[in-house]
Structures are given as structure tokens and as C-alpha cells.
Amino acid sequence: MELRILRYLLVVAREENITRAADILHISQPTLSRQIMQLEEELGVKLFTRGKQNVCLTSEGILFRRRAQEIVNLADKAKDEMQQENETLVGTISIGCGELRSMEELSEIIAAFQIQYPLVKFEIHSAYNMDVKERIEQGLLDMGLMVEPIEISKYGFVRMETKERWGALVHKDSFLADKTEICPRDLVNIPVISCRNEATQNELLSWFGKYAKNVNIQATYNLLYNAVILLKKKGGVLLGLDLEADYEWLKFIPFSPKIEFSSVLAWKDRQAYSKTAEVFIRFVREYKSHIPD
């Protein structure tokens, strides 16, 4: 299986048309068709269903496209790392980030780093904890900004200063909107949209205590924005972090007793990194060590 063929597949999947894909790739249409069919024979599955004008991915093709994209991304990242100049620091540092207020701290670090190394670029991938960790393990991300609680015993990390505060987002016309704090009993038998993260869900269930069995969780989410849109249409209450986002029709009300978590910028310990990533990790450690308590 050649990397070149995987790139061909990704273009065909994007364009959904063999002729158009062949033009983009600067190869003949018969050659491209033959390469795709040979890949299907090698895998033993059909990747595309073929119509008169277009092609579309099968269910097996959708899965394989995702893996192919990961392989191509990893190959491009490896090539980029090997082509770094010796004297001038260049390259791309990829960081997975949850939707967190501590992103402001990370942004401050990145800005300070780029003053010293202006040719270094950053690639930010927004996702929840488990997706970020999985991508770090796969080598697709150099590091991740993740909210605790999270298992990082095998990781190097720095802890951010910002506390991530949990609470409820409610409609401003809700009967809850006049409250300054939300208690567990306030949410009994109310439709709830909650975070999908298992560790966080366990923390929330612990917070609910004796009221946990009466919590009506009707939907879960990983990133906040789509959950906010769902709340707008569906009503109820959304449990989430205080991101200080301004939604004119919503109000954030903190929990009582309060739930606050720290967040960490973490990377795999004792792993070979590119020169650029190693310099950034060193920079992060030094930057955080010089922040006064």
C-alpha cells in the first residue's frame, strides 16, 4: 500500500468524481481508476460505489478514508520534522485543546514563543479529552490542553493557573435565571444536556449526590457550541464550563457546592520529538516556572 495511492483515494473521496480527481492529480482517468481498483483488491473490500457521473464512499470506504487521512497527516508531519533547518527553528507544533478558559494562558505562551521563533507555526485541534489523548498516542498531536480529572501519569505536563468553573447555562426567561447559584435539587426532573466525558460525568453524578437518580440527561456533547444550539431549540439546562462566552439569550449560573478543575498542557514523556517541539516544551516549562505564585 503506497502513500501516493492513499493521497489519490483522498482526492477521489473529496471530489466524488474520478475525472475531476484525475485532472487535479494530473494523471489520466483510466490510470486513477485502475489504482483505486487495485487498492480495493488489496484490501478485499469495495471502497466506492460507482454511478454514471459520480462515485461515493461505501461504509468501509468511510472508515478507510479516516485511516488514510491519519496516515497521510502523520507522513507529512514526519517529513516536515526531517526537513527542519539546523540553525533556524521552523516547523509546525500541533496541539489538541478542549474548550477551556486556560486557552488564554496557552495563547500567551504561544505568542511569547513566536516572538523568539517567528517561523514556527501552530496547528490547533479542538476536541475533548479522550480524543486529544488518542491523537497524542497516535503521534498526530505533539501535546494537548486537557481539563482534569484525567490520567496523565505517563505524561510530562505543566498545570495551568486558570480554574475551570462548572455550572449551568439556562435561558434568561427560565425560572432558574434569577438564581445566583445552582444546587443539585434545582435540576431534579429537568431536561439536562451534559458533557460526554466519562470522568467528568462521574464528578457530576457525585455532585448531584442523592439527587442523581432524578437527573434527566436527554443529550450529551463533547464541544460546547453545538450543545448551545441544541439548548436554544430544545430548552432545559446545559451543564458545562464557564467559558465567559456571551450568548444574549443565555445565562451562566455556577454550581453550589462549586466544582472547579485545573487543566494541564501535557505531552508523552520519554518520547523522541522534533527539534521544534522539544524547544517548545522546554520553553513552556521555563515560562511557567517564572510565573509568580
Side-chain angles (χ1 to χ4, degrees):
M1 189 182 304
E2 298 181 36
L3 191 61
R4 171 177 55 88
I5 307 303
L6 297 183
R7 295 186 190 277
Y8 288 177
L9 176 133
L10 293 174
V11 175
V12 174
R14 185 188 70 212
E15 296 299 321
E16 297 186 339
N17 183 282
I18 292 286
T19 302
R20 193 159 57 240
D23 289 341
I24 293 171
L25 293 166
H26 304 294
I27 61 176
S28 69
Q29 184 270 332
T31 298
L32 180 57
S33 295
R34 184 169 61 253
Q35 297 279 15
I36 296 299
M37 286 189 289
Q38 287 175 352
L39 178 61
E40 289 177 323
E41 290 175 5
E42 181 180 350
L43 296 172
V45 296
K46 284 290 184 183
L47 299 174
F48 293 94
T49 56
R50 293 155 172 85
K52 291 183 178 180
Q53 300 294 329
N54 295 321
V55 297
C56 61
L57 289 166
T58 62
S59 57
E60 293 85 358
I62 292 171
L63 175 60
F64 187 75
R65 177 183 60 178
R66 186 172 68 182
R67 299 307 182 200
Q69 187 67 68
E70 290 173 354
I71 292 169
V72 168
N73 288 348
L74 196 56
D76 289 342
K77 182 176 175 61
K79 182 179 179 181
D80 182 55
E81 290 171 353
M82 293 301 105
Q83 292 180 342
Q84 291 177 9
E85 299 176 18
N86 291 328
E87 295 182 0
T88 304
L89 198 67
V90 297
T92 301
I93 298 171
S94 53
I95 306 177
C97 301
E99 293 179 316
L100 304 170
R101 289 176 59 213
S102 53
M103 183 63 193
E104 289 192 22
E105 289 183 58
L106 177 56
S107 299
E108 182 180 298
I109 295 170
I110 290 173
F113 184 80
Q114 287 185 314
I115 290 173
Q116 292 189 33
Y117 305 104
L119 298 182
V120 175
K121 299 178 181 180
F122 285 82
E123 181 181 85
I124 304 300
H125 174 80
S126 296
Y128 65 109
N129 278 3
M130 295 313 297
D131 182 43
V132 170
K133 277 191 70 175
E134 181 180 348
R135 286 174 174 268
I136 292 174
E137 293 294 333
Q138 293 172 344
L140 298 172
L141 295 173
D142 294 310
M143 59 194 66
L145 180 65
M146 297 172 282
V147 66
E148 295 181 303
I150 186 169
E151 174 55 46
I152 52 171
S153 60
K154 297 180 181 179
Y155 285 65
F157 68 91
V158 294
R159 184 164 280 109
M160 298 298 184
E161 304 297 318
T162 305
K163 296 296 184 182
E164 308 293 346
R165 180 175 64 161
W166 277 85
L169 280 167
V170 303
H171 281 272
K172 288 185 176 178
D173 59 0
S174 167
F175 71 95
L176 295 171
D178 291 334
K179 291 183 172 291
T180 57
E181 296 178 325
I182 291 288
C183 301
R185 65 177 176 272
D186 295 328
L187 301 179
V188 170
N189 296 326
I190 292 177
V192 168
I193 302 171
S194 184
C195 178
R196 185 184 306 166
N197 182 281
E198 184 177 350
T200 300
Q201 281 197 5
N202 291 336
E203 292 286 340
L204 292 175
L205 288 175
S206 177
W207 177 79
F208 275 112
K210 66 180 181 181
Y211 299 103
K213 62 183 179 181
N214 300 115
V215 179
N216 181 17
I217 298 178
Q218 295 193 346
T220 60
Y221 69 94
N222 58 345
L223 297 177
L224 186 65
Y225 180 75
N226 287 341
V228 167
I229 300 303
L230 179 60
L231 176 66
K232 182 177 181 180
K233 297 296 183 182
K234 177 178 172 49
V237 171
L238 193 160
L239 309 185
L241 293 171
D242 180 9
L243 300 181
E244 297 184 343
D246 185 17
Y247 302 106
E248 62 179 3
W249 47 276
L250 285 180
K251 177 182 178 182
F252 179 87
I253 308 173
F255 285 158
S256 178
K258 70 179 180 180
I259 301 181
E260 288 185 339
F261 297 141
S262 297
S263 60
V264 294
L265 180 63
W267 53 89
K268 286 187 73 174
D269 212 2
R270 293 182 290 276
Q271 173 176 299
Y273 283 96
S274 68
K275 178 183 175 183
T276 302
E278 287 180 352
V279 172
F280 182 67
I281 289 171
R282 234 174 13 249
F283 183 90
V284 169
R285 288 189 184 278
E286 293 173 1
Y287 190 96
K288 295 299 291 182
S289 68
H290 287 94
I291 294 178
D293 293 331

